[in-house]
Structures are given as structure tokens and as C-alpha cells.
Short mmCIF file of all heavy atoms in Angstrom, two decimals:
data_model
loop_
_atom_site.label_atom_id
_atom_site.label_comp_id
_atom_site.label_asym_id
_atom_site.label_seq_id
_atom_site.Cartn_x
_atom_site.Cartn_y
_atom_site.Cartn_z
N MET A 1 8.89 -11.57 6.32
CA MET A 1 7.92 -11.25 5.28
C MET A 1 6.50 -11.29 5.85
O MET A 1 5.68 -10.46 5.47
CB MET A 1 8.07 -12.23 4.12
CG MET A 1 7.14 -11.95 2.96
SD MET A 1 7.32 -10.36 2.13
CE MET A 1 8.86 -10.55 1.31
N THR A 2 6.26 -12.23 6.77
CA THR A 2 4.92 -12.34 7.36
C THR A 2 4.54 -11.06 8.08
O THR A 2 3.42 -10.56 7.92
CB THR A 2 4.86 -13.53 8.32
OG1 THR A 2 5.18 -14.72 7.59
CG2 THR A 2 3.49 -13.68 8.94
N GLU A 3 5.47 -10.51 8.85
CA GLU A 3 5.19 -9.27 9.58
C GLU A 3 4.91 -8.12 8.62
O GLU A 3 4.00 -7.32 8.85
CB GLU A 3 6.36 -8.93 10.50
CG GLU A 3 6.48 -9.84 11.69
CD GLU A 3 7.67 -9.50 12.57
OE1 GLU A 3 8.13 -8.34 12.55
OE2 GLU A 3 8.15 -10.41 13.26
N LEU A 4 5.68 -8.04 7.56
CA LEU A 4 5.48 -6.97 6.58
C LEU A 4 4.13 -7.12 5.88
O LEU A 4 3.42 -6.14 5.66
CB LEU A 4 6.62 -6.93 5.57
CG LEU A 4 6.53 -5.85 4.48
CD1 LEU A 4 6.36 -4.45 5.09
CD2 LEU A 4 7.76 -5.91 3.59
N LEU A 5 3.75 -8.34 5.53
CA LEU A 5 2.44 -8.56 4.91
C LEU A 5 1.30 -8.17 5.86
O LEU A 5 0.32 -7.55 5.44
CB LEU A 5 2.29 -10.01 4.47
CG LEU A 5 2.93 -10.36 3.15
CD1 LEU A 5 2.96 -11.87 2.96
CD2 LEU A 5 2.21 -9.70 1.99
N HIS A 6 1.45 -8.52 7.12
CA HIS A 6 0.42 -8.17 8.09
C HIS A 6 0.32 -6.65 8.25
O HIS A 6 -0.78 -6.08 8.25
CB HIS A 6 0.73 -8.83 9.44
CG HIS A 6 -0.35 -8.61 10.44
ND1 HIS A 6 -0.23 -7.72 11.47
CD2 HIS A 6 -1.58 -9.16 10.55
CE1 HIS A 6 -1.34 -7.72 12.18
NE2 HIS A 6 -2.18 -8.59 11.64
N GLU A 7 1.46 -5.98 8.36
CA GLU A 7 1.47 -4.52 8.45
C GLU A 7 0.83 -3.91 7.21
O GLU A 7 0.03 -2.98 7.30
CB GLU A 7 2.91 -4.02 8.57
CG GLU A 7 3.04 -2.52 8.54
CD GLU A 7 4.49 -2.06 8.50
OE1 GLU A 7 5.32 -2.59 9.28
OE2 GLU A 7 4.80 -1.17 7.68
N THR A 8 1.16 -4.45 6.05
CA THR A 8 0.62 -3.94 4.79
C THR A 8 -0.89 -4.07 4.76
O THR A 8 -1.61 -3.15 4.36
CB THR A 8 1.27 -4.67 3.60
OG1 THR A 8 2.68 -4.52 3.69
CG2 THR A 8 0.78 -4.13 2.27
N GLU A 9 -1.39 -5.22 5.20
CA GLU A 9 -2.84 -5.43 5.26
C GLU A 9 -3.50 -4.39 6.16
O GLU A 9 -4.52 -3.80 5.79
CB GLU A 9 -3.14 -6.83 5.78
CG GLU A 9 -4.63 -7.08 5.96
CD GLU A 9 -4.93 -8.34 6.73
OE1 GLU A 9 -4.06 -8.81 7.50
OE2 GLU A 9 -6.04 -8.84 6.58
N GLU A 10 -2.93 -4.16 7.32
CA GLU A 10 -3.49 -3.18 8.25
C GLU A 10 -3.47 -1.77 7.67
O GLU A 10 -4.42 -1.01 7.83
CB GLU A 10 -2.73 -3.21 9.57
CG GLU A 10 -2.98 -4.45 10.39
CD GLU A 10 -2.19 -4.49 11.67
OE1 GLU A 10 -1.18 -3.77 11.80
OE2 GLU A 10 -2.59 -5.25 12.56
N ARG A 11 -2.39 -1.41 7.00
CA ARG A 11 -2.26 -0.06 6.44
C ARG A 11 -3.14 0.13 5.21
O ARG A 11 -3.55 1.24 4.90
CB ARG A 11 -0.80 0.24 6.09
CG ARG A 11 0.17 0.16 7.26
CD ARG A 11 -0.08 1.21 8.31
NE ARG A 11 0.18 2.53 7.81
CZ ARG A 11 0.56 3.56 8.53
NH1 ARG A 11 0.74 3.41 9.82
NH2 ARG A 11 0.76 4.72 7.98
N HIS A 12 -3.46 -0.95 4.52
CA HIS A 12 -4.30 -0.87 3.33
C HIS A 12 -5.75 -0.57 3.67
O HIS A 12 -6.47 0.05 2.89
CB HIS A 12 -4.20 -2.17 2.53
CG HIS A 12 -4.99 -2.17 1.27
ND1 HIS A 12 -6.12 -2.93 1.11
CD2 HIS A 12 -4.80 -1.51 0.09
CE1 HIS A 12 -6.60 -2.74 -0.11
NE2 HIS A 12 -5.83 -1.89 -0.75
N GLY A 13 -6.20 -0.99 4.86
CA GLY A 13 -7.60 -0.82 5.26
C GLY A 13 -8.14 0.59 5.09
O GLY A 13 -9.18 0.77 4.44
N PRO A 14 -7.48 1.61 5.63
CA PRO A 14 -7.99 2.97 5.46
C PRO A 14 -8.02 3.41 3.99
O PRO A 14 -8.95 4.11 3.57
CB PRO A 14 -7.02 3.83 6.27
CG PRO A 14 -6.44 2.89 7.27
CD PRO A 14 -6.37 1.55 6.58
N TYR A 15 -7.04 3.01 3.23
CA TYR A 15 -7.04 3.35 1.80
C TYR A 15 -8.21 2.67 1.11
O TYR A 15 -8.95 3.28 0.34
CB TYR A 15 -5.71 2.95 1.14
CG TYR A 15 -5.71 3.23 -0.34
CD1 TYR A 15 -5.45 4.51 -0.81
CD2 TYR A 15 -6.01 2.24 -1.26
CE1 TYR A 15 -5.48 4.79 -2.18
CE2 TYR A 15 -6.04 2.50 -2.62
CZ TYR A 15 -5.78 3.78 -3.08
OH TYR A 15 -5.82 4.05 -4.42
N GLU A 16 -8.38 1.40 1.38
CA GLU A 16 -9.44 0.60 0.76
C GLU A 16 -10.81 1.21 0.99
O GLU A 16 -11.66 1.22 0.09
CB GLU A 16 -9.40 -0.83 1.32
CG GLU A 16 -10.48 -1.75 0.80
CD GLU A 16 -10.23 -2.22 -0.61
OE1 GLU A 16 -9.07 -2.30 -1.02
OE2 GLU A 16 -11.22 -2.51 -1.33
N ALA A 17 -11.02 1.72 2.20
CA ALA A 17 -12.33 2.26 2.57
C ALA A 17 -12.75 3.47 1.75
O ALA A 17 -13.94 3.70 1.56
CB ALA A 17 -12.32 2.61 4.05
N SER A 18 -11.79 4.23 1.26
CA SER A 18 -12.15 5.47 0.55
C SER A 18 -11.67 5.50 -0.90
O SER A 18 -11.91 6.48 -1.60
CB SER A 18 -11.56 6.67 1.30
OG SER A 18 -10.14 6.59 1.31
N ALA A 19 -11.03 4.47 -1.35
CA ALA A 19 -10.43 4.47 -2.69
C ALA A 19 -11.41 3.97 -3.75
O ALA A 19 -12.34 3.23 -3.45
CB ALA A 19 -9.20 3.57 -2.71
N PRO A 20 -11.18 4.38 -5.00
CA PRO A 20 -11.97 3.81 -6.07
C PRO A 20 -11.60 2.32 -6.23
O PRO A 20 -10.60 1.86 -5.67
CB PRO A 20 -11.52 4.61 -7.31
CG PRO A 20 -10.20 5.19 -6.96
CD PRO A 20 -10.18 5.33 -5.47
N GLU A 21 -12.40 1.62 -6.97
CA GLU A 21 -12.14 0.20 -7.19
C GLU A 21 -10.72 0.01 -7.74
O GLU A 21 -10.30 0.74 -8.64
CB GLU A 21 -13.15 -0.37 -8.18
CG GLU A 21 -13.07 -1.87 -8.32
CD GLU A 21 -14.18 -2.44 -9.15
OE1 GLU A 21 -15.28 -1.86 -9.16
OE2 GLU A 21 -13.95 -3.46 -9.79
N HIS A 22 -10.02 -0.94 -7.16
CA HIS A 22 -8.63 -1.17 -7.56
C HIS A 22 -8.23 -2.60 -7.21
O HIS A 22 -8.95 -3.29 -6.48
CB HIS A 22 -7.69 -0.18 -6.86
CG HIS A 22 -7.63 -0.36 -5.38
ND1 HIS A 22 -8.62 0.09 -4.53
CD2 HIS A 22 -6.71 -0.95 -4.58
CE1 HIS A 22 -8.31 -0.20 -3.28
NE2 HIS A 22 -7.15 -0.85 -3.29
N HIS A 23 -7.10 -3.03 -7.72
CA HIS A 23 -6.54 -4.32 -7.36
C HIS A 23 -5.67 -4.11 -6.13
O HIS A 23 -4.72 -3.32 -6.17
CB HIS A 23 -5.70 -4.90 -8.50
CG HIS A 23 -6.49 -5.16 -9.73
ND1 HIS A 23 -7.45 -6.14 -9.80
CD2 HIS A 23 -6.46 -4.57 -10.95
CE1 HIS A 23 -7.98 -6.14 -11.01
NE2 HIS A 23 -7.40 -5.19 -11.71
N TRP A 24 -5.99 -4.81 -5.06
CA TRP A 24 -5.27 -4.62 -3.81
C TRP A 24 -3.78 -4.84 -3.98
O TRP A 24 -2.96 -4.22 -3.32
CB TRP A 24 -5.82 -5.49 -2.69
CG TRP A 24 -5.73 -6.97 -2.95
CD1 TRP A 24 -6.69 -7.76 -3.50
CD2 TRP A 24 -4.61 -7.83 -2.69
NE1 TRP A 24 -6.23 -9.06 -3.60
CE2 TRP A 24 -4.96 -9.13 -3.11
CE3 TRP A 24 -3.34 -7.62 -2.14
CZ2 TRP A 24 -4.10 -10.21 -3.00
CZ3 TRP A 24 -2.48 -8.71 -2.04
CH2 TRP A 24 -2.87 -9.98 -2.46
N TRP A 25 -3.38 -5.76 -4.85
CA TRP A 25 -1.96 -6.10 -4.98
C TRP A 25 -1.13 -4.95 -5.52
O TRP A 25 0.06 -4.88 -5.22
CB TRP A 25 -1.76 -7.36 -5.82
CG TRP A 25 -2.44 -7.34 -7.15
CD1 TRP A 25 -1.99 -6.79 -8.31
CD2 TRP A 25 -3.71 -7.91 -7.45
NE1 TRP A 25 -2.89 -6.98 -9.32
CE2 TRP A 25 -3.97 -7.66 -8.82
CE3 TRP A 25 -4.66 -8.60 -6.71
CZ2 TRP A 25 -5.13 -8.09 -9.46
CZ3 TRP A 25 -5.82 -9.01 -7.35
CH2 TRP A 25 -6.03 -8.76 -8.70
N ASP A 26 -1.73 -4.04 -6.26
CA ASP A 26 -0.98 -2.88 -6.73
C ASP A 26 -0.58 -1.99 -5.56
O ASP A 26 0.55 -1.52 -5.48
CB ASP A 26 -1.79 -2.08 -7.75
CG ASP A 26 -1.98 -2.80 -9.07
OD1 ASP A 26 -1.03 -3.47 -9.51
OD2 ASP A 26 -3.06 -2.68 -9.66
N TRP A 27 -1.51 -1.76 -4.64
CA TRP A 27 -1.21 -0.95 -3.46
C TRP A 27 -0.22 -1.68 -2.57
O TRP A 27 0.75 -1.09 -2.09
CB TRP A 27 -2.51 -0.65 -2.69
CG TRP A 27 -2.35 0.41 -1.64
CD1 TRP A 27 -2.65 1.74 -1.78
CD2 TRP A 27 -1.87 0.24 -0.30
NE1 TRP A 27 -2.38 2.39 -0.59
CE2 TRP A 27 -1.90 1.49 0.33
CE3 TRP A 27 -1.41 -0.85 0.43
CZ2 TRP A 27 -1.49 1.69 1.64
CZ3 TRP A 27 -1.00 -0.66 1.74
CH2 TRP A 27 -1.05 0.60 2.33
N TYR A 28 -0.45 -2.97 -2.35
CA TYR A 28 0.45 -3.77 -1.50
C TYR A 28 1.88 -3.71 -2.03
O TYR A 28 2.82 -3.53 -1.26
CB TYR A 28 0.00 -5.23 -1.48
CG TYR A 28 -0.97 -5.61 -0.39
CD1 TYR A 28 -2.10 -4.84 -0.12
CD2 TYR A 28 -0.79 -6.77 0.35
CE1 TYR A 28 -3.01 -5.21 0.85
CE2 TYR A 28 -1.68 -7.15 1.32
CZ TYR A 28 -2.80 -6.36 1.57
OH TYR A 28 -3.67 -6.74 2.54
N ALA A 29 2.05 -3.90 -3.32
CA ALA A 29 3.40 -3.92 -3.90
C ALA A 29 4.10 -2.59 -3.67
O ALA A 29 5.26 -2.56 -3.25
CB ALA A 29 3.34 -4.26 -5.38
N ALA A 30 3.41 -1.49 -3.93
CA ALA A 30 4.02 -0.17 -3.75
C ALA A 30 4.37 0.07 -2.29
O ALA A 30 5.44 0.59 -1.97
CB ALA A 30 3.07 0.92 -4.26
N TYR A 31 3.49 -0.32 -1.39
CA TYR A 31 3.74 -0.16 0.04
C TYR A 31 4.94 -0.98 0.48
O TYR A 31 5.84 -0.49 1.16
CB TYR A 31 2.50 -0.55 0.85
CG TYR A 31 2.68 -0.37 2.33
CD1 TYR A 31 2.36 0.83 2.95
CD2 TYR A 31 3.20 -1.41 3.13
CE1 TYR A 31 2.55 1.01 4.31
CE2 TYR A 31 3.39 -1.23 4.49
CZ TYR A 31 3.06 -0.03 5.07
OH TYR A 31 3.25 0.14 6.41
N MET A 32 4.97 -2.23 0.09
CA MET A 32 6.04 -3.13 0.53
C MET A 32 7.40 -2.71 -0.02
O MET A 32 8.40 -2.76 0.69
CB MET A 32 5.70 -4.57 0.15
CG MET A 32 4.51 -5.10 0.94
SD MET A 32 4.00 -6.75 0.46
CE MET A 32 5.33 -7.70 1.20
N VAL A 33 7.44 -2.27 -1.25
CA VAL A 33 8.71 -1.79 -1.83
C VAL A 33 9.19 -0.57 -1.05
O VAL A 33 10.37 -0.47 -0.71
CB VAL A 33 8.55 -1.47 -3.33
CG1 VAL A 33 9.72 -0.66 -3.85
CG2 VAL A 33 8.39 -2.77 -4.13
N ALA A 34 8.26 0.33 -0.75
CA ALA A 34 8.65 1.53 0.02
C ALA A 34 9.20 1.14 1.39
O ALA A 34 10.22 1.68 1.83
CB ALA A 34 7.45 2.46 0.16
N ARG A 35 8.54 0.22 2.08
CA ARG A 35 9.01 -0.19 3.41
C ARG A 35 10.37 -0.87 3.31
O ARG A 35 11.24 -0.63 4.13
CB ARG A 35 7.99 -1.13 4.07
CG ARG A 35 6.72 -0.44 4.49
CD ARG A 35 6.92 0.55 5.62
NE ARG A 35 7.07 -0.19 6.87
CZ ARG A 35 8.00 0.04 7.78
NH1 ARG A 35 8.87 1.01 7.63
NH2 ARG A 35 8.05 -0.69 8.88
N GLU A 36 10.55 -1.70 2.30
CA GLU A 36 11.83 -2.39 2.14
C GLU A 36 12.95 -1.41 1.78
O GLU A 36 14.12 -1.71 1.99
CB GLU A 36 11.72 -3.49 1.10
CG GLU A 36 10.90 -4.67 1.60
CD GLU A 36 10.74 -5.78 0.59
OE1 GLU A 36 10.84 -5.52 -0.64
OE2 GLU A 36 10.52 -6.92 1.03
N ASN A 37 12.58 -0.24 1.28
CA ASN A 37 13.57 0.80 0.96
C ASN A 37 13.73 1.81 2.09
O ASN A 37 14.28 2.89 1.89
CB ASN A 37 13.20 1.49 -0.34
CG ASN A 37 13.51 0.64 -1.54
OD1 ASN A 37 14.57 0.03 -1.63
ND2 ASN A 37 12.58 0.56 -2.48
N GLY A 38 13.23 1.48 3.28
CA GLY A 38 13.47 2.30 4.45
C GLY A 38 12.45 3.37 4.76
O GLY A 38 12.64 4.15 5.69
N ARG A 39 11.37 3.41 4.01
CA ARG A 39 10.34 4.41 4.29
C ARG A 39 9.56 4.01 5.54
O ARG A 39 9.40 2.82 5.83
CB ARG A 39 9.38 4.53 3.10
CG ARG A 39 10.06 4.83 1.77
CD ARG A 39 10.47 6.24 1.62
NE ARG A 39 9.31 7.05 1.24
CZ ARG A 39 9.27 8.36 1.33
NH1 ARG A 39 10.30 9.04 1.75
NH2 ARG A 39 8.19 9.01 0.96
N THR A 40 9.07 4.99 6.28
CA THR A 40 8.24 4.72 7.46
C THR A 40 6.87 4.20 7.00
O THR A 40 6.51 4.38 5.82
CB THR A 40 8.03 5.99 8.30
OG1 THR A 40 7.23 6.91 7.55
CG2 THR A 40 9.35 6.62 8.71
N PRO A 41 6.09 3.63 7.90
CA PRO A 41 4.75 3.20 7.50
C PRO A 41 3.91 4.34 6.91
O PRO A 41 3.21 4.14 5.91
CB PRO A 41 4.15 2.66 8.79
CG PRO A 41 5.33 2.13 9.54
CD PRO A 41 6.42 3.14 9.25
N ASP A 42 3.96 5.52 7.52
CA ASP A 42 3.20 6.65 6.98
C ASP A 42 3.70 7.05 5.60
O ASP A 42 2.90 7.32 4.69
CB ASP A 42 3.25 7.85 7.93
CG ASP A 42 2.41 7.65 9.18
OD1 ASP A 42 1.50 6.79 9.17
OD2 ASP A 42 2.67 8.36 10.16
N GLU A 43 5.01 7.12 5.44
CA GLU A 43 5.57 7.47 4.14
C GLU A 43 5.22 6.42 3.09
O GLU A 43 4.88 6.76 1.95
CB GLU A 43 7.09 7.60 4.23
CG GLU A 43 7.56 8.78 5.04
CD GLU A 43 9.04 8.76 5.35
OE1 GLU A 43 9.67 7.66 5.36
OE2 GLU A 43 9.60 9.85 5.60
N ALA A 44 5.28 5.15 3.48
CA ALA A 44 4.96 4.08 2.54
C ALA A 44 3.50 4.13 2.13
O ALA A 44 3.16 3.89 0.96
CB ALA A 44 5.30 2.72 3.15
N SER A 45 2.61 4.44 3.07
CA SER A 45 1.19 4.59 2.74
C SER A 45 0.98 5.72 1.75
O SER A 45 0.21 5.59 0.79
CB SER A 45 0.36 4.85 4.01
OG SER A 45 0.33 3.71 4.82
N ASP A 46 1.65 6.83 1.99
CA ASP A 46 1.56 7.97 1.06
C ASP A 46 2.12 7.59 -0.31
O ASP A 46 1.52 7.93 -1.34
CB ASP A 46 2.31 9.17 1.61
CG ASP A 46 1.66 9.79 2.84
OD1 ASP A 46 0.48 9.49 3.11
OD2 ASP A 46 2.35 10.56 3.53
N ASP A 47 3.24 6.89 -0.32
CA ASP A 47 3.83 6.45 -1.60
C ASP A 47 2.87 5.54 -2.35
O ASP A 47 2.69 5.68 -3.56
CB ASP A 47 5.15 5.71 -1.36
CG ASP A 47 6.27 6.60 -0.86
OD1 ASP A 47 6.12 7.85 -0.86
OD2 ASP A 47 7.31 6.05 -0.46
N ALA A 48 2.26 4.61 -1.63
CA ALA A 48 1.34 3.67 -2.27
C ALA A 48 0.11 4.40 -2.81
O ALA A 48 -0.37 4.10 -3.91
CB ALA A 48 0.93 2.58 -1.29
N ALA A 49 -0.39 5.38 -2.06
CA ALA A 49 -1.54 6.15 -2.52
C ALA A 49 -1.20 6.94 -3.78
O ALA A 49 -1.99 6.99 -4.74
CB ALA A 49 -2.03 7.08 -1.42
N ARG A 50 -0.01 7.54 -3.82
CA ARG A 50 0.42 8.27 -5.02
C ARG A 50 0.57 7.31 -6.20
O ARG A 50 0.20 7.64 -7.32
CB ARG A 50 1.73 9.02 -4.76
CG ARG A 50 1.53 10.33 -4.03
CD ARG A 50 2.79 11.17 -4.01
NE ARG A 50 3.88 10.53 -3.28
CZ ARG A 50 4.04 10.60 -1.97
NH1 ARG A 50 3.17 11.25 -1.23
NH2 ARG A 50 5.07 10.01 -1.38
N HIS A 51 1.11 6.13 -5.94
CA HIS A 51 1.25 5.12 -7.00
C HIS A 51 -0.12 4.77 -7.56
O HIS A 51 -0.30 4.69 -8.78
CB HIS A 51 1.93 3.88 -6.43
CG HIS A 51 1.92 2.71 -7.35
ND1 HIS A 51 2.72 2.63 -8.46
CD2 HIS A 51 1.18 1.58 -7.33
CE1 HIS A 51 2.47 1.50 -9.10
NE2 HIS A 51 1.54 0.85 -8.43
N MET A 52 -1.09 4.58 -6.68
CA MET A 52 -2.42 4.20 -7.13
C MET A 52 -3.08 5.35 -7.90
O MET A 52 -3.77 5.11 -8.89
CB MET A 52 -3.30 3.79 -5.94
CG MET A 52 -2.84 2.52 -5.27
SD MET A 52 -2.66 1.10 -6.38
CE MET A 52 -4.35 0.90 -6.94
N GLU A 53 -2.88 6.56 -7.44
CA GLU A 53 -3.43 7.72 -8.15
C GLU A 53 -2.90 7.76 -9.58
O GLU A 53 -3.66 7.95 -10.53
CB GLU A 53 -3.11 9.00 -7.41
CG GLU A 53 -3.72 10.23 -8.04
CD GLU A 53 -3.43 11.49 -7.25
OE1 GLU A 53 -3.29 11.42 -6.02
OE2 GLU A 53 -3.33 12.55 -7.90
N ALA A 54 -1.61 7.57 -9.72
CA ALA A 54 -1.01 7.57 -11.06
C ALA A 54 -1.52 6.39 -11.89
O ALA A 54 -1.78 6.53 -13.08
CB ALA A 54 0.51 7.52 -10.95
N LEU A 55 -1.67 5.26 -11.26
CA LEU A 55 -2.12 4.05 -11.96
C LEU A 55 -3.56 4.17 -12.43
O LEU A 55 -3.92 3.73 -13.52
CB LEU A 55 -1.95 2.84 -11.03
CG LEU A 55 -2.12 1.47 -11.61
CD1 LEU A 55 -1.04 1.18 -12.63
CD2 LEU A 55 -2.08 0.44 -10.49
N LEU A 56 -4.40 4.77 -11.60
CA LEU A 56 -5.83 4.84 -11.89
C LEU A 56 -6.23 6.04 -12.75
O LEU A 56 -7.35 6.10 -13.24
CB LEU A 56 -6.62 4.85 -10.58
CG LEU A 56 -6.51 3.58 -9.75
CD1 LEU A 56 -7.18 3.76 -8.39
CD2 LEU A 56 -7.09 2.38 -10.48
N ASN A 57 -5.31 6.97 -12.92
CA ASN A 57 -5.64 8.16 -13.74
C ASN A 57 -5.07 8.07 -15.11
O ASN A 57 -4.27 7.56 -15.59
CB ASN A 57 -5.17 9.44 -13.06
CG ASN A 57 -6.02 9.76 -11.86
OD1 ASN A 57 -7.21 9.52 -11.87
ND2 ASN A 57 -5.41 10.29 -10.83
#
């Protein structure tokens, strides 16, 4: 779990830099679920971004 949390933190950085104000845990949760379901880091980042877009709109 520690490794996944660290990876999630690193992958969240680029999203955080350009995203509207949001709760980081929403992105983290979507990313971590995607990774635990076998998605690659890039796919999980895309999934988390889509989740946030739906959540914020």
C-alpha cells in the first residue's frame, strides 16, 4: 500500500498543477482503484482525471 500511495502522490502532481480546486482524496481514490484493477499508471491517471471532470461538472 505504501508503494501505491507514493506512486499516487507522484502521479497526482501534474494533475494538481493544472486542475481546478478539488479534494485530493477524490483523485487519489479513483487512481488507486484503477491501479488495483490492473490499469497502467497512465491509464489510471486518465481514469482519475475523467472521474474528477465528472465530479466537478
Side-chain angles (χ1 to χ4, degrees):
M1 183 61 70
T2 301
E3 288 178 25
L4 180 55
L5 279 169
H6 185 256
E7 175 187 314
T8 303
E9 176 192 23
E10 289 178 340
R11 300 295 294 208
H12 182 251
Y15 177 82
E16 178 75 28
S18 63
E21 188 173 330
H22 65 283
H23 298 292
W24 62 266
W25 52 84
D26 290 323
W27 193 97
Y28 270 47
Y31 181 90
M32 292 176 74
V33 166
R35 289 293 283 134
E36 289 179 335
N37 284 316
R39 305 283 280 164
T40 67
D42 287 340
E43 291 169 337
S45 291
D46 291 344
D47 291 350
R50 279 191 296 276
H51 170 74
M52 294 306 297
E53 184 178 329
L55 190 65
L56 296 173
N57 288 324

